[in-house]
Amino acid sequence: MGCFGSKSAETKAEKGRALRRPVWASEYPMTKSELQQKREEFWDTAPHYGGDRVIWDALKAACESDLQTAQLIVNSAGVIVTVPDLSTCFDERGSKYELPRYVLSEPSNLISERDSKQQTRQQVELTARRM
């Protein structure tokens, strides 16, 4: 039993921390389809590194939702969010879940498929000129 008016660490953390999406740039510009492929690879393999499949599914749903819905999902799944961008979380049993930025938000240097094809064409032309 705690003192009157005391609160658990989880309750205190939840009150002061609204979820947010990280702002980041990838090492190389990528298209929406390349980003989607990286995300699918992560979610397909993540449960194999430990933790509960139900929590992984909840985190995936949270990452694919708007922030308000994401907050409801993590709260109802019992996920303890230690970083407001969801990059590090724990379940009630203490298992740690680390999420890469590319599943949390889009990079600032996301390019269109058309731009990607144009860059590839330019790279081929440069390579041909060097030969």
Side-chain angles (χ1 to χ4, degrees), residues 20-27 30 35 38-39 42-43 63 85-88 98-107:
R20 62 178 172 75
R21 301 283 182 205
V23 177
W24 65 284
S26 68
E27 293 178 21
M30 66 173 72
L35 177 64
K38 281 183 72 133
R39 287 176 172 175
F42 174 79
W43 293 118
C63 288
D85 66 6
L86 285 175
S87 60
T88 305
E98 294 183 286
L99 304 178
R101 293 178 299 192
Y102 60 83
V103 300
L104 301 168
S105 64
E106 293 181 347

Side-chain angles (χ1 to χ4, degrees), residues 38-61 91 95-100 103:
K38 281 183 72 133
R39 287 176 172 175
E40 288 172 9
E41 288 172 10
F42 174 79
W43 293 118
D44 287 345
T45 60
H48 301 293
Y49 294 104
D52 186 342
R53 178 70 184 200
V54 173
I55 299 297
W56 282 114
D57 290 344
L59 290 170
K60 180 180 181 185
D91 64 19
S95 295
K96 186 176 185 179
Y97 300 82
E98 294 183 286
L99 304 178
V103 300

Side-chain angles (χ1 to χ4, degrees), residues 28-131:
Y28 60 91
M30 66 173 72
T31 64
K32 186 93 167 169
S33 61
E34 291 169 329
L35 177 64
Q36 187 59 36
Q37 183 178 0
K38 281 183 72 133
R39 287 176 172 175
E40 288 172 9
E41 288 172 10
F42 174 79
W43 293 118
D44 287 345
T45 60
H48 301 293
Y49 294 104
D52 186 342
R53 178 70 184 200
V54 173
I55 299 297
W56 282 114
D57 290 344
L59 290 170
K60 180 180 181 185
C63 288
E64 294 173 349
S65 302
D66 63 85
L67 293 175
Q68 186 176 10
T69 304
Q71 186 72 61
L72 292 171
I73 291 169
V74 296
N75 288 349
S76 63
V79 175
I80 300 162
V81 179
T82 58
V83 181
D85 66 6
L86 285 175
S87 60
T88 305
C89 303
F90 292 87
D91 64 19
E92 293 170 334
R93 295 180 184 154
S95 295
K96 186 176 185 179
Y97 300 82
E98 294 183 286
L99 304 178
R101 293 178 299 192
Y102 60 83
V103 300
L104 301 168
S105 64
E106 293 181 347
S108 59
N109 57 344
L110 192 69
I111 58 173
S112 70
E113 299 291 333
R114 189 170 130 195
D115 291 341
S116 176
K117 289 177 185 175
Q118 185 177 8
Q119 283 181 348
T120 303
R121 193 175 316 119
Q122 290 171 347
Q123 289 173 349
V124 169
E125 289 173 4
L126 283 174
T127 304
R129 289 181 193 161
R130 291 181 186 162
M131 295 180 150

Side-chain angles (χ1 to χ4, degrees), residues 7-19 71 75:
K7 296 183 180 182
S8 71
E10 182 180 344
T11 305
K12 288 178 185 176
E14 285 176 8
K15 269 194 163 187
R17 293 188 179 200
L19 294 182
Q71 186 72 61
N75 288 349

